[in-house]
Amino acid sequence: DAGITQSPRHKVTETGTPVTLRCHQTENHRYMYWYRQDPGHGLRLIHYSYGVKDTDKGEVSDGYSVSRSKTEDFLLTLESATSSQTSVYFCAISDVGIYGYTFGSGTRLTVV
Amino acid sequence: AQKVTQAQTEISVVEKEDVTLDCVYETRDTTYYLFWYKQPPSGELVFLIRRNSFDEQNEISGRYSWNFQKSTSSFNFTITASQVVDSAVYFCALSEISSGSARQLTFGSGTQLTVLP
């Protein structure tokens, strides 16, 4: 009954290549978020969206861009992947009146 | 700016021991929510509890209990009679409400709990 799915679940890519991660929701929630998880840092916000075509930067946005052309999809793009972007990426959703997130299962990205 | 500190990086206990995970937060808002999430070895993030800043009552759910103290800006989590299945990374998180932001959660760095048989 997953209302939020991330794809791919795992990806290995080479330094300098572009990578796009997809987050898809079926809950019609307004807010969507991308976080990265790294040892010792917990989860850090990369970008978030508060509606279609409305996005903003989070704490660690350098090297990342996002797009949200439909309510259900939030794409995270690494224009030119670097080894420092090796991480686990989580997408999350929330909505008006909901204080808390539903998380996706995560995408493990390795940049070699 | 909001900040969450989990000073305990790793904790190891023997099964059936009680264990408390500490969480200290910083915020300038008077209205906020605090959360605990569990991340088992499988990697998913599991919601455990949400507490708003106006409710300082402690909460108990089975073997889990939470102690929220605004005076010390702490939201500690206790597991009673720990079990091996409690082994996981536990995250504390904060969401400011009155700041007008899109409900961003700020996470602590997490505490790795290992329960030994």
Side-chain angles (χ1 to χ4, degrees):
Chain A
D1 66 337
I4 175 172
T5 55
Q6 292 183 232
S7 59
R9 292 295 312 277
H10 302 271
K11 185 172 183 66
V12 179
T13 191
E14 292 187 351
T15 298
T17 61
V19 177
T20 295
L21 309 183
R22 181 184 184 231
C23 178
H24 178 77
Q25 59 144 330
T26 58
E27 305 296 324
N28 200 36
H29 281 357
R30 176 179 179 181
Y31 303 105
M32 299 186 76
Y33 312 82
W34 278 107
Y35 282 82
R36 61 178 288 174
Q37 182 181 8
D38 305 290
H41 293 280
L43 282 83
R44 293 178 293 174
L45 183 64
I46 305 171
H47 280 280
Y48 63 95
S49 170
Y50 41 95
V52 173
K53 293 190 167 68
D54 288 325
T55 65
D56 208 345
K57 296 178 179 179
E59 176 188 359
V60 289
S61 60
D62 287 349
Y64 302 95
S65 62
V66 291
S67 66
R68 190 168 178 200
S69 58
K70 299 184 290 184
T71 299
E72 57 266 34
D73 289 325
F74 193 32
L75 305 180
L76 177 70
T77 297
L78 291 65
E79 300 292 346
S80 177
T82 67
S83 58
S84 64
Q85 294 175 312
T86 292
S87 187
V88 179
Y89 291 86
F90 284 97
C91 178
I93 60 175
S94 186
D95 204 9
V96 176
I98 298 176
Y99 298 101
Y101 292 176
T102 300
F103 282 93
S105 299
T107 295
R108 183 172 295 276
L109 176 68
T110 302
V111 183
V112 299
Chain B
Q2 53 191 19
K3 182 180 179 182
V4 176
T5 301
Q6 294 180 254
Q8 304 152 308
T9 304
E10 297 181 16
I11 299 176
S12 182
V13 299
V14 176
E15 204 169 21
K16 297 184 183 175
E17 287 185 354
D18 299 346
V19 58
T20 295
L21 310 182
D22 297 333
C23 173
V24 174
Y25 62 92
E26 296 176 26
T27 177
R28 287 175 291 192
D29 277 15
T30 57
T31 308
Y32 51 89
Y33 281 90
L34 294 163
F35 303 80
W36 277 95
Y37 284 86
K38 174 182 180 180
Q39 186 177 45
S42 53
E44 74 270 24
L45 287 156
V46 179
F47 167 81
L48 295 178
I49 190 172
R50 180 189 73 203
R51 175 54 49 90
N52 77 53
S53 52
F54 297 113
D55 183 3
E56 287 194 71
Q57 282 192 342
N58 292 332
E59 182 156 340
I60 298 174
S61 176
R63 297 184 296 106
Y64 295 170
S65 62
W66 290 269
N67 184 337
F68 175 31
Q69 293 195 343
K70 287 180 76 171
S71 61
T72 56
S73 297
S74 64
F75 187 43
N76 297 336
F77 173 31
T78 297
I79 302 174
T80 302
S82 59
Q83 300 176 1
V84 172
V85 294
D86 295 327
S87 296
V89 180
Y90 291 86
F91 291 100
C92 181
L94 165 71
S95 178
E96 295 175 338
I97 305 303
S98 56
S99 65
S101 62
R103 295 172 172 76
Q104 298 133 322
L105 281 183
T106 296
F107 286 82
S109 55
T111 297
Q112 171 72 60
L113 173 65
T114 302
V115 181
L116 302 170

